[in-house]
Amino acid sequence: MKETFVNGVPAPWLPVKAKEENKCCTVEIWGRTYTVDKNLLFSSVTTQGVELLASPIRINASENGHKIEWRDIDCFLGECDQKQAIIYATAQSDAFIVNTCMKVEFDGCATIDVKLMPKGYTVPQLFGLESKESTTTLLDYFWIETPVKKELASLYHVYPNDVMPSDTGETDNSVKYSGSGFLDNRNMDLGFCAVAHLGNDDL
């Protein structure tokens, strides 16, 4: 079977379009748009004109007993061609630096890489112009929160199974998820899962 290509991508897919403007990066593919607007991860994901996120995807973390407020956030467009576009973002806290890399492919597959590292010495410290004071780097917690719109997240599928959260989002270790089910009005609070799907009858 001969495969048909349109400008380098298999039909009926269309070539990736990407742009960067005022620290806002947008990637458009057939039927979907990804946006990173002064954020470390996707600020908006629309499919067929429908916004999937209730608010931007965010990294929640705490260092040395205090919730991290990420500062000096910057994002920019990296390598782009007809098949994929890559968005890079970076930010820092008192003790850590976080870097993200989001690769969006022509078929909508988005691969996200997140790196967290302790801050090293500054240039003046390296040259002996300032004292090399050690910074405490205790990471209390670190997770990624994806606020999917409530009406779009009534059904779930996970693997492996995990505990079911209560109505407040707290976990109840006595109740296990089935592999799939109805989420109703609860939040989903999971450790690492190889597969985690949220959706409704249409999305």
Side-chain angles (χ1 to χ4, degrees):
M1 178 176 168
K2 186 177 180 181
E3 193 169 21
T4 304
F5 285 81
V6 178
N7 294 327
V9 300
W13 305 108
L14 300 175
V16 173
K17 295 181 180 178
K19 65 178 181 179
E20 176 188 344
E21 188 175 4
N22 297 325
K23 294 188 178 180
C24 177
C25 299
T26 303
V27 179
E28 293 182 358
I29 59 167
W30 181 35
R32 189 174 300 172
T33 302
Y34 294 88
T35 303
V36 181
D37 188 5
K38 303 176 186 68
N39 195 44
L40 285 165
L41 296 166
F42 293 124
S43 305
S44 168
V45 179
T46 63
T47 180
Q48 301 298 322
V50 177
E51 175 62 59
L52 303 183
L53 301 180
S55 61
I57 301 174
R58 49 188 171 259
I59 295 175
N60 284 319
S62 172
E63 63 187 16
N64 306 322
H66 300 285
K67 180 175 170 56
I68 292 177
E69 296 294 336
W70 299 109
R71 60 180 187 270
D72 302 325
I73 298 177
D74 191 16
C75 64
F76 56 93
L77 205 54
E79 302 88 342
C80 298
D81 58 31
Q82 295 174 332
K83 295 183 178 180
Q84 64 181 26
I86 299 178
I87 300 172
Y88 297 101
T90 183
Q92 64 176 325
S93 65
D94 291 336
F96 293 96
I97 296 172
V98 63
N99 294 328
T100 63
C101 173
M102 294 152 279
K103 180 174 73 171
V104 179
E105 300 181 57
F106 66 89
D107 60 357
C109 178
T111 305
I112 302 173
D113 181 60
V114 179
K115 288 185 173 65
L116 180 77
M117 66 206 84
K119 292 171 76 170
Y121 293 125
T122 65
V123 173
Q125 287 173 332
L126 287 173
F127 283 95
L129 302 175
E130 294 179 0
S131 62
K132 292 183 179 180
E133 297 179 2
S134 59
T135 302
T136 304
T137 54
L138 175 62
L139 184 65
D140 305 306
Y141 61 80
F142 184 93
W143 73 75
I144 294 174
E145 185 176 351
T146 307
V148 178
K149 284 188 174 180
K150 183 178 178 180
E151 62 271 20
L152 304 180
S154 57
L155 305 174
Y156 72 85
H157 174 75
V158 294
Y159 176 84
N161 296 359
D162 210 318
V163 293
M164 173 67 83
S166 68
D167 292 339
T168 61
E170 301 297 323
T171 55
D172 175 5
N173 291 317
S174 65
V175 181
K176 290 284 187 180
Y177 275 113
S178 63
S180 304
F182 181 56
L183 191 60
D184 199 15
N185 291 322
R186 289 166 293 198
N187 290 318
M188 178 173 277
D189 185 3
L190 302 171
F192 174 79
C193 287
V195 175
H197 167 78
L198 290 175
N200 59 19
D201 290 331
D202 299 313
L203 298 171

